[in-house]
Amino acid sequence: MEITGFRHIYSGKVRELYEPIDPKFSHLALIVATDRISAFDHILTPTIPGKGIELTKITNWWLDRIDFPNHRSNELSAPKEIQDRAVVVKRLKMYPVECVVRGYISGSGWKEYQSKGSICGIKLPEGLRFGQKLPEPIFTPAFKAPQGQKDENITYDEVIDLVNEDIARNLREASLEIFSYASKVAERAGLILADTKFEFGADPLTGQLTIGDEVLTPDSSRYWDKEQWDQGVRDQSFDKQMVRNWLLDNWDEKGEPPSLSPEIVKLTAERYALLREKLTTAKL
């Protein structure tokens, strides 16, 4: 897609990255959230209508409330034709760490716990059940692999090896602090924030640790309906888990995945919209 005043520089799984043509804005970039959806390291077809708009709205809603430096910039406006799914940001020196925080046990963390009794080197109590709340939130980082390769869970010591001890400590503390705040906000909206991942970088002008990428969206987080969770329902979520489940039922994970059914596309789009509505209309 051509955008007036910008040139395309990178395609991610679900986002497109542009840079301003005007050299005086070379320190900025334009992130456009598409309607593409990915799972199991594959970009799927067809797209999910409205997904990019919903993710952008959710990210901006959270960034307006989180008391922590973020990458948004007001020096330049996103073009009107895409402003509902795009944001102008400062270019950061990104750290190659997925800063995952888990407050409940599920997903890949559940699989690792079943086989090792721990997640990312953190020993957990015996006898935990799927979907159970952990004694306290834990920082379970992953190495952010290049596109086409699988992210890999790593220990905190490996994070230190990647970025140094001071930065590793700051990444962990910031992730846990933001997760704690977001969990309380989500609960007031009738939601449970089971887990999430943050990405951080250094502001090249100040060196300040800064949030980058999407924040607390259903693509980067696992949300549950609190009322259903209280009733013991552990297999419901507002993220793309229903897409993963559908793929597991309809694909042997060899070769390219099949096209998503019209029903799963419709249901997924509805879940993204419902989560945004629950968050942004709740009396907080």
Side-chain angles (χ1 to χ4, degrees):
M1 177 173 59
E2 292 190 4
I3 300 176
T4 303
F6 294 85
R7 69 172 62 89
H8 182 261
I9 56 175
Y10 179 74
S11 291
K13 290 177 184 174
V14 297
R15 284 181 289 279
E16 300 288 347
L17 189 64
Y18 295 78
E19 64 180 4
I21 292 175
D22 189 334
K24 75 178 181 182
F25 294 118
S26 61
H27 59 293
L28 301 178
L30 177 74
I31 299 176
V32 180
T34 74
D35 289 342
R36 296 193 297 265
I37 189 167
S38 68
F40 302 116
D41 296 304
H42 287 269
I43 299 172
L44 309 174
T45 58
T47 60
I48 306 298
K51 173 177 174 283
I53 295 173
E54 297 294 353
L55 293 186
T56 302
K57 287 180 178 179
I58 292 170
T59 288
N60 285 332
W61 186 86
W62 277 113
L63 291 179
D64 286 341
R65 287 157 178 78
I66 294 171
D67 185 18
F68 197 89
N70 68 70
H71 64 168
R72 290 186 302 180
S73 171
N74 56 13
E75 292 183 64
L76 195 63
S77 297
K80 287 185 178 180
E81 65 267 26
I82 56 163
Q83 64 183 5
D84 56 354
R85 62 171 67 241
V87 60
V88 176
V89 301
K90 296 176 285 187
R91 292 193 181 199
L92 306 178
K93 180 185 175 184
M94 297 301 293
Y95 296 115
V97 180
E98 297 269 8
C99 294
V100 179
V101 181
R102 304 175 191 271
Y104 294 72
I105 189 162
S106 64
S108 63
W110 170 246
K111 292 181 181 178
E112 187 173 342
Y113 170 76
Q114 285 181 300
S115 62
K116 299 181 180 179
S118 62
I119 306 177
C120 296
I122 300 174
K123 188 69 177 176
L124 296 175
E126 295 181 2
L128 293 178
R129 299 183 304 277
F130 178 82
Q132 186 171 342
K133 186 175 184 178
L134 297 172
E136 61 182 8
I138 56 174
F139 180 68
T140 58
F143 173 69
K144 186 170 176 57
Q147 185 171 335
Q149 299 180 33
K150 191 174 181 61
D151 294 341
E152 179 184 354
N153 287 351
I154 56 177
T155 65
Y156 180 67
D157 286 342
E158 289 174 307
V159 176
I160 293 174
D161 291 339
L162 283 171
V163 298
N164 83 39
E165 189 168 1
D166 287 341
I167 294 172
R169 182 175 60 253
N170 291 339
L171 290 174
R172 181 172 63 182
E173 290 178 355
S175 299
L176 290 169
E177 180 180 337
I178 297 170
F179 180 84
S180 176
Y181 165 76
S183 295
K184 294 172 185 175
V185 173
E187 188 165 354
R188 292 198 291 271
L191 298 163
I192 286 174
L193 178 61
D195 54 57
T196 193
K197 68 96 178 170
F198 302 107
E199 293 188 36
F200 295 91
D203 186 322
L205 297 179
T206 65
Q208 189 174 42
L209 188 67
T210 304
I211 298 176
D213 202 54
E214 63 183 325
V215 178
L216 294 160
T217 73
D219 265 16
S220 65
S221 314
R222 194 184 314 270
Y223 288 94
W224 295 328
D225 181 278
K226 186 176 186 304
E227 184 176 343
Q228 289 189 45
W229 188 89
D230 287 341
Q231 295 171 359
V233 181
R234 300 291 188 263
D235 58 355
Q236 46 90 19
S237 70
F238 289 89
D239 59 16
K240 56 187 177 183
Q241 189 61 46
M242 67 175 66
V243 172
R244 297 188 189 98
N245 292 344
W246 185 90
L247 285 172
L248 290 172
D249 290 339
N250 294 275
W251 180 45
D252 61 5
E253 298 189 57
K254 296 177 181 177
E256 291 298 312
S259 294
L260 301 175
S261 70
E263 181 184 18
I264 204 68
V265 169
K266 178 176 181 292
L267 288 172
T268 303
E270 289 173 350
R271 295 296 279 179
Y272 278 97
L274 180 58
L275 175 68
R276 188 260 308 154
E277 182 181 353
K278 278 180 168 288
L279 280 172
T280 60
T281 62
K283 293 182 179 179
L284 305 178

